[in-house]
Amino acid sequence: AKEAGRARMTCYETAMDAHREERNALELDLRRAIETEELTLVYQPLVDASSCEMTGVEALVRWNRPGHGPISPEIFIPVAETTGLIEALGLFVLRKACEAAQQWPDLRVAVNVSPGQFRNPAFADYVRSVLNSTEIEAGRVTLEITEGYIIQNPERTRQSIERLKMLGVKVALDDFGSGFSSIGYLRQFGFDRIKIDRSLTMNVLEDSRAREMLRATVALARSLDIPVTAEGIEIEEQGRALQNFGCDELQGYFYGKPMPEAEITKRFSIQKAA
Ligand code: C2E
Ligand code: CA
Ligand code: CA
Ligand code: CA
């Protein structure tokens, strides 16, 4: 029994080592990917709920890891966060997205911000420098923040948001409804928008409890004068239901998948001509 126990232990440790090595390799590759600008951005349309016109885009990072193929940001963003690479990555994404947005006058551009970036008091400074160098109007930029960090650090969150809003950029609460949410304190943080998570919107047609929760959430946000985006809309009826509840903006595969910059430029010019 003792022997078997030792064997299991060894086996477990081997698995741990393999895991650690894999992660180190991933970190190394990611570091290089950031330095050599191997990362790319795609953009997903944000559309007006009543006209379905594209009013903005959300920038989403992509990585085609050499020898491995595309890796989801759900995998490498957490690695970037635990290794400190997130700051360089985030700066790259913000700069690229603002540069791209120069081609699409009056479209909003939404950029995801990790807690690791947001926590850094210098973050507002680098947002300012990107705004200055790209000469993009601050009001067109929305920074999307998830609620996890907010709950842990309400006071610092409030200060960070204040600094950012002083620059004129907008701040949105991302993935609302995916965890513990208290819409009651949303207003005190000064969020300009909330984005309802796909885990809620995906059930709007089938699940009456999800439906009632959505209806109440959107109504409450609206009573606080906070506009609401519903994400993850895959079929027209979902979009229509959420518009009826009062969402002013929709996002999801039904309106457009994340796509290369050139595709957005094409859509934008077609829309302008119409
Ligand atoms: P997110 O910010 O909630 O982004 C929306 C995710 O939902 C994207 O996944 C998008 O492709 C996907 N999506 C959009 N519409 C639909 C739909 O109708 N159906 C389904 N099934 N999915 C839809 P993606 O691009 O894989 O990104 C995953 C997450 O990774 C993002 O979630 C965000 O939290 C993070 N992320 C992506 N890019 C960045 C970045 O540049 N910086 C940071 N910090 N995080 C990022
Ligand atoms: Ca987002
Ligand atoms: Ca989201
Ligand atoms: Ca998400």
Side-chain angles (χ1 to χ4, degrees), residues 12-30 63 65 68 79 83:
Y12 177 68
E13 282 174 347
T14 306
M16 284 286 282
D17 281 351
H19 180 73
R20 201 175 304 130
E21 258 168 51
E22 168 53 30
R23 235 175 129 90
N24 288 344
L26 184 71
E27 182 189 341
L28 224 71
D29 278 4
L30 185 57
W63 182 26
R65 186 182 176 197
H68 294 258
V79 173
T83 54

Side-chain angles (χ1 to χ4, degrees), residues 47-50 193-196 201 214-215 217-219 221-222 226-231 233 238-251:
V47 308
D48 179 89
S50 39
R193 173 170 292 280
I194 74 174
K195 295 188 73 172
I196 298 192
T201 57
L214 276 164
R215 194 201 303 277
T217 302
V218 180
R222 283 179 47 113
I226 303 173
V228 182
T229 303
E231 53 180 37
I233 306 294
Q238 293 171 330
R240 214 171 287 147
L242 283 146
Q243 190 207 349
N244 283 334
F245 294 166
C247 291
D248 70 313
E249 187 175 78
L250 305 170
Q251 177 181 10

Side-chain angles (χ1 to χ4, degrees), residues 134-149:
T134 57
E135 296 185 337
I136 186 173
E137 193 192 319
R140 286 173 60 200
V141 177
T142 302
L143 302 175
E144 298 191 355
I145 298 160
T146 55
E147 60 188 355
Y149 174 67

Side-chain angles (χ1 to χ4, degrees), residues 26-27 29-41 59-64 71-98 111-117 123 126 130:
L26 184 71
E27 182 189 341
D29 278 4
L30 185 57
R31 190 180 299 277
R32 202 210 44 241
I34 296 165
E35 279 163 7
T36 60
E37 308 210 340
E38 192 176 282
L39 303 175
T40 55
L41 296 190
L60 296 157
V61 68
R62 294 291 178 265
W63 182 26
N64 197 342
I71 298 195
S72 164
E74 315 240 39
I75 308 279
F76 69 82
I77 291 287
V79 173
E81 281 171 345
T82 54
T83 54
L85 290 172
I86 194 65
E87 290 200 36
L89 187 155
L91 182 54
F92 170 80
V93 169
L94 183 66
R95 182 164 46 80
K96 285 286 172 200
C98 289
V111 176
N112 294 288
V113 174
S114 284
Q117 297 173 267
F123 179 59
Y126 87 54
V130 171

